[in-house]
């Protein structure tokens, strides 16, 4: 509902100040509205002698709260809408309301409206008029509508012809984006549609999942974690959805933000959680992070999977919340907001659509060199489990901690050991290091077993390690391992 508001009034109880719900209204306003007026209400509850100073104190407090929002410097007006409260006699005159009206007049503006594009209207009321038909009232979000047009009611899967239209009790033949209008169509049961969307036939899509670009809401406490469930408000409905966060590949963290498009050609990095200053950033980012400051991407995305399909336009506003949080807990329930970039209409989107989404995880395995075979090959251990099929790793590149590049050549024996080919040959230093280590081992082996343990303890001070790094795409059905 907030997306139909051009100028919002945030009403604050002057005796209490910002409450959790006022803060949530402010957050929604920041996402969906352009202008705001703050109203400090119930000033009649302040003792007259201290009233002015209490109003000034609260005004200053509100200005400070709004300092870092888009509403910085907005008008703040003090009123008592109903002095004495709801039980007070009607003869009690409101305080400050005429001043408020003047402020609203000065803040009112004509937003630019665009009649082009598909017709889309948010319906908030539906009733029937005997002998006329069913009337749907609401606000036009985009496009325009004329008498005689066909409009679709996607929730009921029916198309109806516009018989008549009224704006503020005046018949009209045409209405555009931003207009508040009642549209009368031929009979259908108004109980079937309390609120929802109506549109140009076939212009809205029913989707099972979506890709969104998003930002975390700064007042939300706690991390946004992949696989978590949120209440997703999209179009005119709120449904449960599961999220998976991802970001650009680290090399592209500073790339320009691409508004309202998603590029399926690019690679994206899977994230266990949305990356923000307070997140336990993933391993890859720690590696990219020389200066000790966590590097954050300029843009992040999420895959949303809905528990039941939703009908909405492309590029619509999306808000994710935790509405099951206790309303009395002093915490913001709104977690993130974003723009819907790509919807998935196919019920089997996991097979038909997701494989196009190139989100990868970086895998890092470490092992050790067991011994040298010759100048161009070594035997490694501890990289794989005994039961691992080493054949699928053959041909992958590895790096030794001494700097050499190697290629996995195949398994060696039955215990998970493997052979590494070093195309450029072992460095003399490396060879020496490994020869000394294996001599120590064999010496210790001749004595009693306890000495062997001691020797490997000394030896482990500086083993030569083997690093295997590869990417695996999350939605790749073959689970291929890929190295750049």
């Amino acid at each position: 509902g907030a997306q139909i508001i051009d100028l919002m009034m945030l009403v604050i109880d002057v005796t209490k100040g910002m409450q959790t719900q006022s803060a949530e209204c402010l957050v929604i306003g920041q996402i969906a509205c352009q202008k705001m007026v703050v109203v400090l209400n119930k000033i009649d509850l302040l003792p007259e002698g201290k009233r002015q100073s209490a109003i000034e104190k609260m005004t200053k407090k509100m200005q400070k709260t709004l300092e870092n929002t888009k509403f910085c410097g907005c008008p703040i007006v003090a009123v008592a809408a109903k002095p004495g409260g709801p039980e007070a006699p009607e003869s009690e005159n409101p305080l400050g309301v005429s001043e408020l009206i003047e402020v609203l007049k000065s803040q009112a503006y004509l937003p630019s409206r665009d009649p082009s594009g598909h017709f889309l209207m948010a319906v908030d009321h539906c009733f029937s008029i005997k002998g006329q038909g069913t009337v749907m009232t609401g606000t036009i979000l985009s496009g325009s509508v004329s008498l005689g047009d066909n409009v679709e009611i996607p929730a009921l899967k029916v198309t109806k012809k516009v018989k008549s239209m009224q704006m503020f009790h005046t018949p009209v033949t045409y209405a555009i984006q931003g207009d508040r209008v009642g549209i009368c169509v031929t009979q259908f049961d108004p109980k079937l549609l309390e609120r929802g969307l109506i549109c140009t036939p076939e212009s809205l899509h029913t989707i099972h999942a979506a890709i969104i670009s998003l930002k975390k809401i700064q007042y939300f406490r706690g991390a946004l974690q992949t696989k978590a469930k949120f209440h997703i408000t999209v179009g005119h409905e709120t449904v449960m959805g599961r999220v998976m966060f991802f970001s650009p590949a680290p090399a592209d963290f500073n790339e320009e933000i691409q508004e309202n498009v998603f590029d399926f050609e690019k690679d994206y990095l899977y994230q266990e959680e949305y990356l923000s200053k307070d997140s336990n950033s993933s391993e890859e980012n720690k590696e990219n992070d020389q200066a000790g400051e966590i590097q954050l991407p300029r843009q992040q995305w999420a895959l949303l999977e809905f528990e039941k399909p939703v009908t909405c336009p492309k590029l619509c506003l999306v808000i994710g919340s935790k509405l099951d949080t206790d309303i009395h807990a002093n915490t913001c329930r709104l977690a993130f907001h974003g723009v819907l970039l790509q919807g998935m209409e196919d019920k089997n989107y996991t097979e038909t659509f997701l494989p196009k989404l190139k989100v990868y995880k970086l895998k890092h395995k470490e092992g050790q060199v067991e011994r040298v075979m010759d100048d161009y090959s070594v035997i490694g251990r501890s990289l794989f489990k005994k039961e691992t099929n080493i054949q699928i790793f053959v041909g992958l590149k590895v790096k030794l901690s001494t700097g050499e590049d190697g290629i996995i050549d195949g398994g060696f024996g039955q215990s998970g050991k493997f052979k590494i080919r070093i195309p450029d040959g072992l460095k003399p230093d490396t060879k020496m290091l490994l020869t000394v280590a294996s001599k120590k081992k064999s010496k210790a082996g001749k004595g009693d077993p306890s000495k062997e343990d001691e020797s490997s303890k000394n030896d482990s001070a500086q083993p030569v390690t083997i690093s295997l790094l590869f990417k695996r795409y999350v939605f790749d059905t073959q689970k291929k391992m890929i190295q750049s």
Side-chain angles (χ1 to χ4, degrees):
Q3 59 190 329
I4 68 171
I5 298 170
D6 295 308
L7 169 63
M8 72 181 268
M9 279 198 301
L10 184 66
V11 183
I12 304 284
D13 179 335
V14 74
T15 63
K16 292 179 182 165
M18 277 289 258
Q19 300 291 293
T20 308
Q21 253 166 321
S22 339
E24 288 183 352
C25 291
L26 176 59
V27 168
I28 293 172
Q30 280 228 86
I31 296 166
C33 301
Q34 293 311 314
K35 288 185 89 172
M36 180 170 84
V37 172
V38 174
V39 180
L40 303 176
N41 192 21
K42 303 191 182 179
I43 57 172
D44 58 308
L45 298 180
L46 301 167
E48 269 192 49
K50 296 179 184 164
R51 185 173 294 173
Q52 203 44 44
S53 70
I55 289 171
E56 279 167 21
K57 197 174 162 190
M58 187 54 80
T59 302
K60 280 208 176 87
K61 209 170 169 183
M62 284 306 300
Q63 283 165 338
K64 185 103 186 82
T65 302
L66 300 175
E67 218 168 48
N68 297 321
T69 71
K70 68 153 86 156
F71 304 123
C72 176
C74 78
I76 298 174
V77 188
V79 306
K82 185 102 168 68
E87 269 64 69
E90 288 302 319
S91 56
E92 282 283 352
N93 280 330
L95 305 173
V97 170
S98 53
E99 287 89 331
L100 174 60
I101 289 170
E102 288 311 310
V103 168
L104 287 176
K105 279 185 186 168
S106 74
Q107 294 295 305
Y109 65 104
L110 262 179
S112 57
R113 302 300 193 199
D114 180 6
S116 68
H118 291 304
F119 167 67
L120 177 67
M121 173 166 150
V123 172
D124 44 48
H125 202 50
C126 196
F127 55 91
S128 60
I129 297 177
K130 219 173 176 167
Q132 296 278 322
T134 301
V135 175
M136 299 173 284
T137 64
T139 303
I140 300 178
L141 301 178
S142 71
S144 63
V145 63
S146 303
L147 274 185
D149 281 357
N150 282 329
V151 295
E152 185 186 355
I153 307 165
L156 308 181
K157 297 189 171 48
V158 296
T159 298
K160 297 276 180 186
K161 193 178 235 123
V162 178
K163 279 177 68 181
S164 63
M165 295 197 289
Q166 279 192 4
M167 277 162 69
F168 300 103
H169 306 293
T170 309
V172 292
T173 57
Y174 174 73
I176 70 165
Q177 182 189 50
D179 284 338
R180 192 76 206 148
V181 65
I183 292 180
C184 183
V185 299
T186 46
Q187 207 73 47
F188 73 86
D189 184 355
K191 289 195 190 77
L192 296 175
L193 185 77
E194 182 198 352
R195 50 167 36 182
L197 296 168
I198 61 171
C199 61
T200 302
E202 296 186 4
S203 64
L204 283 192
H205 305 290
T206 299
I207 58 174
H208 298 266
I211 291 170
I212 66 165
S213 66
L214 78 156
K215 285 207 164 10
K216 183 179 179 178
I217 288 165
Q218 66 189 81
Y219 309 106
F220 183 77
R221 291 192 202 137
L224 304 181
Q225 291 186 311
T226 283
K227 297 202 175 114
K229 284 185 177 179
F230 290 89
H231 291 87
I232 308 292
T233 303
V234 54
H236 219 325
E237 48 193 327
T238 298
V239 299
M240 289 305 285
R242 194 186 291 279
V243 294
M244 182 195 89
F245 297 104
F246 56 97
S247 65
D252 300 332
F253 266 25
N254 290 321
E255 220 171 58
E256 283 302 306
I257 288 177
Q258 287 191 296
E259 296 277 339
N260 301 343
V261 289
F262 184 78
D263 187 349
F264 282 95
E265 295 307 309
K266 287 197 163 152
D267 276 19
Y268 298 94
L269 177 61
Y270 171 91
Q271 299 292 0
E272 289 291 351
E273 62 180 73
Y274 178 89
L275 295 181
S276 59
K277 283 191 176 65
D278 48 0
S279 63
N280 310 317
S281 80
S282 58
E283 289 304 313
E284 303 82 43
N285 297 326
K286 284 182 185 143
E287 286 170 25
N288 289 311
D289 158 29
Q290 293 93 18
E293 270 190 36
I294 295 175
Q295 273 210 319
L296 295 177
R298 289 171 71 169
Q299 195 169 12
Q300 293 180 63
W301 298 270
L303 168 68
L304 290 184
E305 300 189 73
F306 302 114
E307 285 198 350
K308 66 183 192 38
V310 295
T311 300
C312 61
K314 209 175 165 182
L315 301 182
C316 67
L317 175 64
V318 178
I319 298 179
S321 326
K322 286 275 188 193
L323 299 178
D324 40 7
T325 311
D326 176 13
I327 187 67
H328 304 295
N330 181 21
T331 177
C332 176
R333 297 173 301 162
L334 307 164
F336 61 83
H337 67 97
V339 175
L340 194 143
L341 303 178
Q342 180 78 46
M344 298 169 212
E345 295 177 59
D346 189 343
K347 207 175 182 166
N348 304 318
Y349 66 90
T350 46
E351 286 111 55
T352 58
F353 197 98
L354 288 186
K356 295 180 202 165
L357 179 59
K358 299 198 286 191
V359 175
Y360 69 86
K361 288 183 181 182
L362 266 188
K363 301 281 189 183
H364 185 198
K365 286 176 168 294
E366 272 208 350
Q368 282 182 14
V369 174
E370 164 101 355
R371 61 187 171 86
V372 176
M373 275 183 82
D374 55 49
D375 288 356
Y376 292 94
S377 50
V378 295
I379 300 296
R381 62 180 166 88
S382 314
L383 193 63
F384 307 113
K385 294 192 179 85
K386 194 176 169 180
E387 60 278 7
T388 305
N389 173 12
I390 293 173
Q391 220 36 50
I392 57 176
F393 291 91
V394 168
L396 289 186
K397 295 178 239 177
V398 293
K399 202 168 186 72
L400 303 191
S401 53
T402 45
E404 290 91 341
D405 291 317
I407 294 163
I408 296 177
D409 230 8
F412 184 82
Q414 298 303 307
S415 58
K417 290 181 186 173
F418 54 97
K419 191 175 162 188
I420 296 173
R421 187 160 46 86
I422 316 279
D424 296 335
L426 285 170
K427 296 178 191 166
D429 296 1
T430 312
K431 225 176 139 182
M432 226 164 92
L433 190 71
L434 290 166
T435 318
V436 171
S438 55
K439 269 186 189 156
K440 270 189 190 169
K441 250 191 200 154
S442 58
K443 257 191 194 159
K446 286 178 187 152
D448 55 291
S450 61
K451 273 195 188 143
E452 185 175 352
D453 289 354
E454 249 170 64
S455 157
S456 47
K457 270 182 205 155
N458 301 336
D459 169 33
S460 66
Q462 211 191 357
V464 176
T465 57
I466 303 162
S467 285
L468 169 63
L469 275 170
F470 60 89
K471 281 180 186 180
R472 193 176 260 160
Y473 290 105
V474 178
F475 301 113
D476 174 16
T477 44
Q478 285 151 354
K479 297 199 173 353
K480 287 197 290 284
M481 291 170 288
I482 290 157
Q483 291 181 316
S484 53

